[in-house]
Amino acid sequence: MGKINASLEGALVSINGVLTPPEEAVISIFDRGFLYGDSIYEVTLTYDGTPFLLKDHLDRLWRSAQGIGLEISWSRQKLREFIYDGLNKVDYDRAYIRIIITRGGGDIGLDPSLSEGQNLIIIFRELKPYPQKWYDEGVSLIVTEVVRTPKKSMDPNIKSGNYLNNVMALKQAKEAGAYDAIMLNHKGQVTESTSANIWMVLGDSYITPPLDAGLLGGITRQRLLEIGTSAGLKVKEENFTADTLRIAQEVFITSSTREILPITKIDGQPVGDGKPGTYTKKLHQLYKNKIKETIEEERKLNSGK
Amino acid sequence: MGKINASLEGALVSINGVLTPPEEAVISIFDRGFLYGDSIYEVTLTYDGTPFLLKDHLDRLWRSAQGIGLEISWSRQKLREFIYDGLNKVDYDRAYIRIIITRGGGDIGLDPSLSEGQNLIIIFRELKPYPQKWYDEGVSLIVTEVVRTPKKSMDPNIKSGNYLNNVMALKQAKEAGAYDAIMLNHKGQVTESTSANIWMVLGDSYITPPLDAGLLGGITRQRLLEIGTSAGLKVKEENFTADTLRIAQEVFITSSTREILPITKIDGQPVGDGKPGTYTKKLHQLYKNKIKETIEEERKLNSGK
């Protein structure tokens, strides 16, 4: 267990509030998070050391918990404290923060009532900038035949420790030399990529699938719906198929860590003229402005405490 | 991490071949088995200290590995050695053996190629006898609305570390005071319970759903299909709905650890006359005879080595 990947050097892990170096950050193999993926998680980040939209991420963590019938053993305040404890010990410009809550250990068995206490893991690591080339030239997607897990089986809007569906889809994308995969639902509608929401520009509209399609309600996605509407852009939630996506003028994906990433190829064919488009850039600029504003507000709130 | 459930006292864990007491059996929180459920597993057992159908379980482990695109880093021979190493250190009459292989650790990310080496965990614990009452009186099931994960999303025939679908179904059963839940596929066909295969007796036939319904190809299930056929019984694989199950004369579930367990109630209503039936008992007796035979054969094979 002693070895750790070089990319994790300088990482820090909070285990039930105790800060631990990454090479010593371990969990019992009897933990349900390990045995069954019986856990929930969130990924958030900092800009210049300030956590971004932490409230939204904690709200979603609590919603995921409710989705798997878990009553979180810590208060939001306690979680915030643990997060700030960690952030105070690291000096990254930008931190990636992964919060995991497992249903804990106990006797072996699927029955969740066997759990004898949850475990809370918070991973802090440096969030290095993504290659500028991705943003300048866009990245490529494939449409995978791995169908996104249906809501009735395990709602993709719950961020849980069950990610093999997405792992298998991404594996296929990587083997095809693509950046990521577009996952469809059983009706053939577009849902999301393996770790981001998807958008297209058709005419003068920005369109992203509704939650009903079976996808994670991304926090960036939600903010973009709001920002777009405020700015008088036509943003809407509507179902569409991969065939429609292929004839879109522009396509992009959104996530907390990557913000807005242009997609310029789908299954090897160019999207539009094969370059990141003006609609994508415009929305990204609006989003960047919003990030600045939000960080300034959150700083004021924190310093006022 | 130091505390361990009382039921795990006397357990032993092999971590990459190193035998470890249960309270020290830990894994890195960066392991993909913990982060994503990116792992496969098997559960097997011993009768009088002799592993039962170990070859079948190893075959299925390798098939699960193939299902998630994992090339297992250990040979079958090595795995057998690790299993016998553990069994030589414990003195249970009957051992429960859980073999878990994870895609291992590395940089954080869904891409499986980030893995830097698999981890192999083998849990040995005592398999205590199940309450005789379960067999004498039967147990109860509910039909859950949690739909079994479809084959196109993550084939239930792969025994993986993604079990929240089943955990949620079992949670519902437990809350309803039932023993287990029957899971249907999206067509409304019966698939399996959360951890066992399901069978019904209709007329003079034993019927269990085919693999196509989306279920785990149980090793006990497979043996029963063979034993039943050899004994001249009418055993068949056929799709059926929960409504048909409700009018069956007898219902039972099968798994390696529980063998054949009669179901005498579904959603609070009695199955047949509400008592374990003669067809169920007959097949269980045939299975018990087969276990004896098989164990004697496996002992001879082992002593001959």
Side-chain angles (χ1 to χ4, degrees):
Chain A
M1 300 291 120
K3 275 195 311 175
I4 209 80
N5 182 276
S7 70
L8 298 170
E9 271 173 34
L12 187 63
V13 183
S14 165
I15 300 185
N16 297 324
V18 180
L19 292 170
T20 314
E23 61 276 13
E24 291 169 20
V26 293
I27 191 143
S28 166
I29 57 113
F30 295 103
D31 187 275
R32 300 174 62 89
F34 179 66
L35 293 176
Y36 313 121
D38 193 357
S39 60
I40 49 166
Y41 81 102
E42 272 299 317
V43 170
T44 180
L45 49 90
T46 62
Y47 286 94
D48 292 330
T50 302
F52 182 57
L53 299 177
L54 185 53
K55 181 185 177 303
D56 298 37
H57 285 280
L58 294 183
D59 284 350
R60 190 168 63 183
L61 186 67
W62 257 260
R63 205 187 61 216
S64 291
Q66 196 177 23
I68 66 160
L70 185 79
E71 200 176 320
I72 296 181
S73 302
W74 296 266
S75 66
R76 276 166 207 246
Q77 187 47 40
K78 202 71 200 166
L79 234 85
R80 278 179 179 270
E81 273 174 45
F82 289 159
I83 291 170
Y84 279 97
D85 282 353
L87 287 178
N88 286 336
K89 286 277 187 306
V90 297
D91 60 352
Y92 324 134
D93 248 18
R94 301 203 52 204
Y96 162 105
I97 306 167
R98 190 183 188 99
I99 310 162
I100 305 166
I101 298 181
T102 80
R103 217 187 300 260
D107 194 3
I108 301 175
L110 291 180
D111 182 358
S113 75
L114 295 172
S115 159
E116 297 188 321
Q118 297 160 30
N119 283 309
L120 167 62
I121 313 290
I122 309 172
I123 302 174
F124 305 90
R125 60 171 292 202
E126 189 172 359
L127 181 61
K128 296 217 175 108
Y130 294 105
Q132 188 54 40
K133 199 182 165 198
W134 289 2
Y135 294 89
D136 292 343
E137 299 179 10
V139 297
S140 62
L141 300 182
I142 60 156
V143 179
T144 175
E145 73 263 22
V146 179
V147 173
R148 190 72 183 97
T149 305
K151 284 164 75 85
K152 285 184 179 174
S153 295
M154 179 46 59
D155 193 342
N157 201 20
I158 297 169
K159 265 182 107 80
S160 80
N162 276 210
Y163 257 67
L164 260 178
N165 178 233
N166 310 48
V167 167
M168 295 314 293
L170 184 60
K171 184 170 190 290
Q172 202 173 63
K174 294 296 176 189
E175 284 165 1
Y179 173 80
D180 198 354
I182 300 165
M183 303 185 77
L184 311 178
N185 64 23
H186 65 286
K187 293 180 192 162
Q189 294 163 331
V190 169
T191 64
E192 57 189 346
S193 94
T194 66
S195 59
N197 288 119
I198 189 153
W199 296 70
M200 67 173 180
V201 177
L202 208 61
D204 58 354
S205 295
Y206 294 85
I207 308 172
T208 193
L211 293 188
D212 265 356
L215 51 90
L216 181 76
I219 285 166
T220 309
R221 172 185 175 281
Q222 184 54 37
R223 290 289 156 148
L224 289 176
L225 287 169
E226 291 159 15
I227 294 167
T229 306
S230 300
L233 303 177
K234 289 186 187 158
V235 290
K236 41 189 180 179
E237 296 174 82
E238 244 173 53
N239 278 311
F240 51 87
T241 63
D243 281 345
T244 308
L245 194 66
R246 285 181 222 275
I247 57 161
Q249 293 129 254
E250 301 180 24
V251 173
F252 56 91
I253 58 174
T254 61
S255 83
S256 294
T257 49
R258 285 157 296 180
E259 304 177 359
I260 294 184
L261 189 55
I263 303 301
T264 45
K265 253 188 197 169
I266 295 176
D267 286 335
Q269 297 302 309
V271 175
D273 65 1
K275 289 175 196 159
T278 51
Y279 281 83
T280 305
K281 286 176 190 162
K282 184 176 181 177
L283 193 62
H284 199 170
Q285 192 51 54
L286 287 171
Y287 186 61
K288 282 181 176 167
N289 298 345
K290 186 71 187 176
I291 293 170
K292 253 188 206 160
E293 254 178 59
T294 308
I295 287 296
E296 275 163 26
E297 279 165 25
E298 300 205 354
R299 262 196 202 140
K300 273 182 210 157
L301 274 172
N302 285 334
S303 67
K305 267 182 201 157
Chain B
M1 301 293 120
K3 276 196 310 176
I4 210 80
N5 181 277
S7 70
L8 297 171
E9 271 173 33
L12 187 63
V13 182
S14 165
I15 300 185
N16 297 326
V18 180
L19 292 170
T20 313
E23 61 276 13
E24 291 169 22
V26 292
I27 190 141
S28 167
I29 58 115
F30 295 103
D31 187 274
R32 300 175 63 90
F34 180 66
L35 293 177
Y36 313 120
D38 193 358
S39 60
I40 49 167
Y41 81 102
E42 272 298 317
V43 171
T44 181
L45 48 89
T46 62
Y47 286 93
D48 293 329
T50 302
F52 182 58
L53 299 178
L54 186 53
K55 181 185 177 302
D56 297 38
H57 286 280
L58 294 183
D59 283 349
R60 190 167 64 181
L61 186 67
W62 256 260
R63 206 187 57 214
S64 291
Q66 195 176 24
I68 67 161
L70 186 79
E71 200 176 321
I72 296 180
S73 302
W74 296 266
S75 66
R76 277 167 207 242
Q77 187 47 39
K78 201 72 200 165
L79 234 86
R80 280 179 179 269
E81 272 175 44
F82 289 159
I83 290 170
Y84 279 97
D85 282 352
L87 287 178
N88 286 336
K89 286 276 187 306
V90 296
D91 60 354
Y92 324 134
D93 248 18
R94 301 202 52 204
Y96 162 104
I97 306 167
R98 190 184 188 96
I99 310 163
I100 305 166
I101 298 181
T102 82
R103 217 186 301 258
D107 195 2
I108 302 176
L110 292 179
D111 182 358
S113 75
L114 294 172
S115 158
E116 297 188 323
Q118 298 161 29
N119 283 309
L120 166 62
I121 313 289
I122 309 172
I123 302 174
F124 304 89
R125 60 172 291 201
E126 190 173 358
L127 181 62
K128 296 214 175 108
Y130 294 105
Q132 187 55 38
K133 200 182 164 199
W134 289 2
Y135 295 89
D136 292 343
E137 300 179 10
V139 297
S140 62
L141 300 182
I142 60 157
V143 179
T144 176
E145 73 264 20
V146 179
V147 173
R148 189 73 182 95
T149 305
K151 284 165 73 87
K152 284 183 180 176
S153 295
M154 178 46 60
D155 192 342
N157 201 20
I158 297 169
K159 264 181 110 77
S160 81
N162 275 212
Y163 256 68
L164 261 177
N165 179 232
N166 310 49
V167 167
M168 296 313 293
L170 184 60
K171 184 171 190 291
Q172 201 173 63
K174 293 296 174 188
E175 284 164 1
Y179 173 80
D180 198 354
I182 299 165
M183 303 185 77
L184 310 178
N185 63 23
H186 66 286
K187 292 181 192 162
Q189 295 163 332
V190 169
T191 63
E192 57 188 346
S193 94
T194 67
S195 59
N197 288 118
I198 189 153
W199 297 70
M200 66 172 181
V201 177
L202 209 61
D204 58 354
S205 294
Y206 293 85
I207 308 172
T208 194
L211 293 188
D212 264 355
L215 51 89
L216 181 77
I219 285 166
T220 310
R221 173 185 174 280
Q222 185 54 38
R223 289 290 155 147
L224 290 175
L225 287 169
E226 292 160 14
I227 293 166
T229 305
S230 299
L233 303 176
K234 288 185 189 160
V235 290
K236 39 189 179 178
E237 298 174 80
E238 243 173 54
N239 278 310
F240 52 87
T241 65
D243 282 344
T244 308
L245 195 65
R246 286 180 222 276
I247 57 162
Q249 293 129 254
E250 300 180 25
V251 173
F252 56 89
I253 58 174
T254 60
S255 83
S256 294
T257 50
R258 285 157 297 180
E259 303 176 1
I260 294 185
L261 189 55
I263 304 301
T264 45
K265 253 187 197 170
I266 295 176
D267 286 335
Q269 298 301 310
V271 174
D273 65 0
K275 289 176 196 159
T278 51
Y279 281 83
T280 305
K281 286 177 190 161
K282 183 175 183 178
L283 194 61
H284 199 169
Q285 193 50 55
L286 287 173
Y287 186 61
K288 282 180 174 165
N289 298 345
K290 186 72 190 175
I291 292 170
K292 252 190 206 158
E293 254 178 59
T294 309
I295 287 296
E296 277 165 24
E297 278 167 25
E298 300 205 355
R299 263 200 200 134
K300 272 182 211 157
L301 274 174
N302 285 333
S303 67
K305 266 181 201 161

